[in-house]
Structures are given as structure tokens and as C-alpha cells.
Amino acid sequence: MSWLDDLDDDDEPEFDEADVRVRPNPKANRPRTKRRPAHSDARIVRVLGVDRGRYTVLVDEDLPGERTVLAARARELRKTPIVTGDRARIVGDASGDEGTLARIVGIEERTSLLRRSADDTDQVERVIVANADQMLVVVAAADPEPRPRLVDRYLVAALDAGIRPLLVVTKTDLADPAEFLAHFDGLDLEVFTSGREEMPLERIGAALIGHSTVFVGHSGVGKSTLVNALVPDAKRATGHVNEVTGRGRHTSSSTVSLRYRGDGGNGWVIDTPGVRSFGLGHVDPANILRAFTDLAEIAEECPRGCTHLPDAPDCAIVEAVDAGRLGPGGAARLDSLQRLLETFAKKAQEPGG
């Protein structure tokens, strides 16, 4: 028996909601929405550099009113990496006057993306630069000693990103780079050599016109010195090599775009901090062989599914090196290729690899 049984059908209980209190929106009179404004009035700009959450961008590029503007990232882009070389959309104050701040509200589609990881087993990538179409690898003939395997890694990363690689060997007055350059015989790679008394600025500059070129290299190889020679107002800091460790001191602390002005036109130089390692954890292993163009051509003769590793049966590359068809540097190049392939083969065998 329940007291509800005493209610007739017409005697339904009434609920008065007149005294219900609704908490007002403390920030606005209308509720929040996930719809974002279209920003149809946004300007397209070039990101020149990034410094502690502030972005230096170039507005009205190549027009009479060209100017640099400081901008911040919009809240909706907080998980989107914005890097040097990006083409971005900004709104707000784009006058460039002191104390003003525009807002980046979008990123245009990228034509290329150069990345590196901490090591070859690390899937977390670090974006270095966007929209570059050339990579200029700078190495020294001596002080510090050149590292062909590091250059191999640069070449793999460049080709994986669809970027054309170039090579500059500095300090040729200290050592003959012939043995080092033999490592790259057979590659479709334009090479420049530079010494204290002879720096081929005109030849290098001609290769920069009409391109966006990212400069990479080990610390202490003279990259910043070369950038300052090509772009006199760059004022990039230069350093020296430690006589005990043989390592260069990091001088360029950030990635920045600088305009190169040549007799035949302009281009963009993107200077990056010196690195001592260049992980390829983000690279598609199928693109590794492409960086070794001479070996890739011979690999077409390999059996289907050939790994090109030392234990691979009937590998045409191994047979070509053993027969001396690739010259004195062939064995070293095969060793570099196999070291990279072995690293990725081990990663693929790991759980989740």
C-alpha cells in the first residue's frame, strides 16, 4: 500500500520551476560555440622566425609596403606547429608599428616539410622548416673532421621531404676534401668548395635565386660565416671549434629566414642551428635507398624483396661492390646504406614497430 494509490488520475502532482536559478554566462551573454569565424579578411604572410611564442612575419612581400609584423598564435592553433617558412594567415593589426600584435589564424598548405627526430627509433618528430625546395649541406674539410654518415642522413631527410640537396665543403685550405667527396661519387649532387682565400659566393648565390634553401650542418663548420657572406645584414653569430673535443659551439640558436639578393634575382636563405645528430625515425624506409642514387640504380638488378643487408642472397649491390664496379668509395657507401637499413629493420621488429 502506498500513498500514491490515493491520487486520482486527474490529480497529477504539479512542479513549480519558477524558483529555479540559472547561472548566467560570466563571460558573455550568448553561449560558447565551436564555430570559428571565417577570417575572410586575413592576409597571407611568410613566417620569418619564431621566438618564445612570438612569430615574425613578412607582410605584403615584394610590394612597396613590405614590412615585418609581430604576431601571436590563435587559440585554435595551439596544437598546430608553426615554423619558419610557413605561409600563414593573419588578422588584426598588421601595421608593424611598435607595440602592435597581429594574430595567426591559419596555415596554408605546405609544399614540403623538413623534419628530424631525436634518434632513428624515436617516432616523435621535430619540424625544422616548411616550404623549402633546396637543402644546402655545409661540412668542413677539417676542424671539425667531415662526417660522411651525417651527410648521408641529411640527404635521406631531404629526399624524403622532396627537397633538392646541395653540398658545400668549407675550410679546404686546411685539408684536401677529395677523399671525403669520393664517398658521394655517382650521386646527382652539386658540390661547392670554399677556403679562406676563395669563397665561391657568386656560384652559390646563383643556386639560391628563385629558391627557398635551408642551410644545415654540424656546429663549427662555418655555416654562419657563409650565411653572413651571402646576406651581409644577417649578423649571425659565429664561433670556434674546441681544440680538445673537436666539436663546434652552437652559435645560431634559432631558425630564421633571410632574403638573399643577387644580381639575377632574389632567394631565401633559411639558417638553422648546428646539430651533431640527425634522427630519421620519421622517414619512410623505402626512401632511404633513393638517397644513394648510384646504389639505387644497381638495386634494380636485385631479386624481388631484397633487403640489401650483408646476409641478403644475390644482392646486386653487394656483388657490384665486391667486383669493384663502384670504385674505392663503393664499400663505404654500401656500409652507410646498410647501417641505416639495419636500424630501420630492427625498429620494424620491435613491438609496435
Side-chain angles (χ1 to χ4, degrees):
M1 191 68 180
S2 168
W3 63 271
L4 291 174
D5 295 334
D6 296 334
L7 292 176
D8 294 331
D9 292 341
D10 296 332
D11 295 335
E12 295 183 0
E14 296 182 1
F15 300 98
D16 185 5
E17 298 180 354
D19 60 344
V20 174
R21 299 181 61 186
V22 179
R23 180 177 296 177
N25 187 333
K27 296 184 178 180
N29 292 326
R30 59 183 180 180
R32 294 182 62 182
T33 175
K34 292 184 179 180
R35 296 180 60 185
R36 302 295 182 185
H39 298 301
S40 57
D41 59 338
R43 297 170 176 263
I44 305 297
V45 300
R46 179 189 295 270
V47 178
L48 299 180
V50 184
D51 182 20
R52 292 171 292 184
R54 292 292 182 264
Y55 302 85
T56 301
V57 301
L58 187 65
V59 179
D60 294 339
E61 183 175 341
D62 295 328
L63 296 177
E66 177 182 290
R67 60 199 178 279
T68 57
V69 171
L70 199 62
R73 180 202 309 251
R75 178 179 298 177
E76 58 264 31
L77 297 180
R78 61 184 180 277
K79 294 184 179 180
T80 302
I82 303 174
V83 298
T84 302
D86 264 325
R87 304 289 290 179
R89 299 190 299 275
I90 67 167
V91 296
D93 193 333
S95 65
D97 295 339
E98 185 176 356
T100 61
L101 189 66
R103 184 162 55 98
I104 297 177
V105 294
I107 300 296
E108 297 290 278
E109 184 177 357
R110 293 156 168 166
T111 58
S112 69
L113 200 60
L114 180 63
R115 303 162 292 172
R116 75 180 179 95
S117 57
D119 56 55
D120 292 338
T121 61
D122 189 357
Q123 294 291 340
V124 179
E125 63 187 40
R126 177 181 178 184
V127 179
I128 300 175
V129 65
N131 300 321
D133 63 335
Q134 290 189 150
M135 172 193 285
L136 186 73
V137 181
V138 184
V139 298
D143 191 32
E145 291 297 314
R147 298 169 54 189
R149 291 197 179 95
L150 178 60
V151 176
D152 285 339
R153 290 172 171 274
Y154 287 136
L155 299 181
V156 169
L159 292 175
D160 182 71
I163 298 174
R164 178 194 177 208
L166 308 168
L167 178 65
V168 174
V169 184
T170 64
K171 305 184 185 181
T172 54
D173 52 300
L174 301 181
D176 184 353
E179 182 178 352
F180 166 75
L181 290 176
H183 182 82
F184 306 100
D185 285 345
L187 291 185
D188 182 16
L189 181 65
E190 187 171 4
V191 177
F192 307 91
T193 56
S194 174
R196 182 180 296 274
E197 301 299 329
E198 184 179 358
M199 187 178 290
L201 297 180
E202 290 186 5
R203 285 187 57 220
I204 297 175
L208 303 179
I209 293 175
H211 296 283
S212 181
T213 307
V214 54
F215 283 43
V216 298
H218 188 286
S219 304
V221 298
K223 179 169 58 65
S224 295
T225 299
L226 178 61
V227 170
N228 288 336
L230 291 166
V231 187
D233 59 349
K235 299 179 181 178
R236 300 295 275 174
T238 58
H240 66 281
V241 177
N242 189 299
E243 295 181 359
V244 176
T245 64
R247 291 181 171 181
R249 180 171 62 88
H250 293 295
T251 51
S252 300
S253 59
S254 61
T255 300
V256 61
S257 285
L258 306 162
R259 181 182 268 123
Y260 169 76
R261 302 183 186 276
D263 293 335
N266 300 333
W268 286 97
V269 169
I270 306 175
D271 190 21
T272 63
V275 297
R276 300 190 180 106
S277 63
F278 204 94
L280 300 175
H282 62 282
V283 168
D284 181 354
N287 290 332
I288 294 178
L289 184 59
R290 291 180 53 231
F292 300 80
T293 50
D294 53 340
L295 305 185
E297 184 176 346
I298 297 175
E300 295 179 1
E301 305 170 16
C302 289
R304 182 183 298 273
C306 181
T307 63
H308 314 301
L309 296 176
D311 59 352
D314 302 321
C315 177
I317 302 176
V318 174
E319 293 176 354
V321 170
D322 291 342
R325 288 168 51 192
L326 294 176
R333 289 189 54 67
L334 176 58
D335 180 62
S336 291
L337 171 64
Q338 290 177 338
R339 283 174 180 268
L340 290 172
L341 292 176
E342 285 177 341
T343 297
F344 281 84
K346 292 177 181 177
K347 184 175 70 171
Q349 294 171 3
E350 295 175 354

